[in-house]
Amino acid sequence: MNLHNEMVEPLSDETGEGSRVSVWARIQREARIAVRDEPLLGALIHAGLLHHSTFEAALAYRFSLKLASREMSEQILREIADDAFSCAPELGLAAKADLLAVYDRDPATHRLMQPILFFKGYQALQSYRIGHWLWQQGRHDMAYFVQMRCSEVFGVDIHPAARIGTGVMIDHAHSIVIGETAVVGNDVSMLHSVTLGGTGKEDGDRHPKIGNGVMIGAGAKVLGNLQIGHHSRIAAGSVVLMDVPPCKTVAGVPARIVGDAGCADPSNSMNQLLGREDLF
Ligand SMILES: CC(C)(COP(=O)(O)OP(=O)(O)OC[C@H]1O[C@@H](n2cnc3c(N)ncnc32)[C@H](O)[C@@H]1OP(=O)(O)O)[C@@H](O)C(=O)NCCC(=O)NCCS
């Protein structure tokens, strides 16, 4: 996988020795095979992927389909998303980086089309990105609407003012909460039931700042305006109330340092083992 030129390995049955294909070409190929193998999903896969000429158009369709309600039509949401992708090309690039992050790190992801069609963590993150774009345009109420629908539909509640880097994976994604002044770096991986929240004792800048390449385990609560150093790991179920230096592992309630991060790049390797030195 190469994030920078957006070219990926072809499927194994494709021709062209050594040739690489674009992310979108690979997704379309996967979609055609999926329709062949499961015709009952033909309509869904056609409408969601094969019908579109670009990756961004497919994402805009998915966003509008999932978040539309009796209060807001699919058409209006689709226009908003199309606008966002054409005014801010970095949204499409971020969406590709997130997609490749899921593909690379989640062992249950075997095709690039899976997160777009089936994974709510990915869909919620792309919805947040459109909400954040609206927020940056000063369209705060529309951004709040997107936040509300994202929370209702996916169980992922991310304030549209929060800042989230690229190459981010939110796996499983039940019950994610990310507060208004939180910052999440690039290449972060988090599991379900993570809260990046305030302590309730501070106003203003009150939420955590998560460094690049951090891995945050399921159920971890990171509370307050804390710095979590690059490439650290937060164990499942921890309550983190203090800064964490780079490349460390913290665990427990309240969390304490239990060892080094175990590898240089825990969010990418999804290394979830505590080494022997971590145990003592
Ligand atoms: C409980 C709470 C209000 C802090 O209360 P407090 O009395 O001001 O506590 P302090 O921050 O002074 O900490 C006192 C001790 O309790 C510990 N502590 C604080 N919050 C804790 C928590 N949630 N779990 C376990 N221990 C906690 C601290 O580590 C400290 O331990 P120490 O004395 O050994 O160092 C706060 O930490 C909390 O949990 N707020 C809820 C936040 C929340 O739900 N946020 C989500 C927003 S989306």
Side-chain angles (χ1 to χ4, degrees), residues 41-70:
L41 282 174
L44 184 153
I45 293 171
H46 266 282
L49 297 173
L50 293 171
H51 183 67
H52 304 283
S53 54
T54 65
F55 174 72
E56 289 80 1
L59 288 185
Y61 171 81
R62 201 86 194 126
F63 166 82
S64 61
L65 185 80
K66 298 301 277 188
L67 297 197
S69 72
R70 285 166 58 199

Side-chain angles (χ1 to χ4, degrees), residues 187-189 210-216 228-232 234 267:
D187 303 318
V188 166
S189 297
I210 309 294
N212 296 331
V214 171
M215 201 283 290
I216 310 178
I228 307 299
H230 301 313
H231 305 293
S232 279
I234 298 173
S267 68

Side-chain angles (χ1 to χ4, degrees), residues 177 195 197-199 201 223 239 241 253-254:
V177 176
T195 298
T199 58
K201 300 185 294 182
L223 303 178
V239 175
L241 299 167
V253 181

Side-chain angles (χ1 to χ4, degrees), residues 13-261:
D13 62 343
E14 281 181 305
T15 53
E17 210 178 305
S19 66
R20 295 168 75 83
V21 297
S22 74
V23 167
W24 183 235
R26 160 90 181 248
I27 291 168
Q28 293 252 307
R29 171 90 176 122
E30 290 174 354
R32 283 191 288 274
I33 293 170
V35 173
R36 182 198 66 197
D37 293 348
E38 182 56 276
L40 292 179
L41 282 174
L44 184 153
I45 293 171
H46 266 282
L49 297 173
L50 293 171
H51 183 67
H52 304 283
S53 54
T54 65
F55 174 72
E56 289 80 1
L59 288 185
Y61 171 81
R62 201 86 194 126
F63 166 82
S64 61
L65 185 80
K66 298 301 277 188
L67 297 197
S69 72
R70 285 166 58 199
E71 292 177 313
M72 185 73 67
S73 72
E74 218 176 296
Q75 190 183 339
I76 292 174
L77 288 169
R78 184 128 174 224
E79 283 168 13
I80 287 171
D82 284 338
D83 238 24
F85 284 119
S86 77
C87 295
E90 64 274 18
L91 288 178
L93 293 175
K96 281 182 186 155
D98 298 337
L99 185 64
L100 296 178
V102 178
Y103 182 85
D104 284 341
R105 296 175 211 162
D106 175 4
T109 303
H110 306 291
R111 291 161 299 158
L112 292 173
M113 68 171 223
Q114 279 175 259
I116 303 173
L117 292 182
F118 304 127
F119 292 179
K120 68 180 183 174
Y122 181 78
Q123 295 172 4
L125 184 55
Q126 304 325 310
S127 304
Y128 147 80
R129 292 196 186 286
I130 292 170
H132 183 64
W133 175 81
L134 287 163
W135 186 267
Q136 289 174 313
Q137 306 302 303
R139 297 171 69 182
H140 290 184
D141 286 332
M142 190 59 87
Y144 283 132
F145 176 83
V146 170
Q147 179 190 4
M148 176 189 76
R149 288 296 294 148
C150 207
S151 177
E152 289 171 350
V153 172
F154 303 121
V156 173
D157 195 338
I158 307 178
H159 193 288
R163 288 180 285 144
I164 300 184
T166 65
V168 169
M169 174 179 76
I170 306 179
D171 201 8
H172 305 297
H174 300 290
S175 195
I176 297 284
V177 176
I178 301 180
E180 180 179 11
T181 58
V183 177
V184 176
N186 296 325
D187 303 318
V188 166
S189 297
M190 67 180 82
L191 283 295
H192 52 283
S193 297
V194 164
T195 298
L196 306 180
T199 58
K201 300 185 294 182
E202 299 164 304
D203 289 327
D205 192 0
R206 60 200 181 281
H207 296 115
K209 314 294 180 262
I210 309 294
N212 296 331
V214 171
M215 201 283 290
I216 310 178
K221 313 295 168 204
V222 188
L223 303 178
N225 188 356
L226 314 174
Q227 303 284 338
I228 307 299
H230 301 313
H231 305 293
S232 279
R233 295 186 304 175
I234 298 173
S238 308
V239 175
V240 183
L241 299 167
M242 294 171 73
D243 289 351
V244 175
C247 303
K248 294 292 177 194
T249 299
V250 295
V253 181
R256 62 181 181 85
I257 296 173
V258 295
D260 291 333

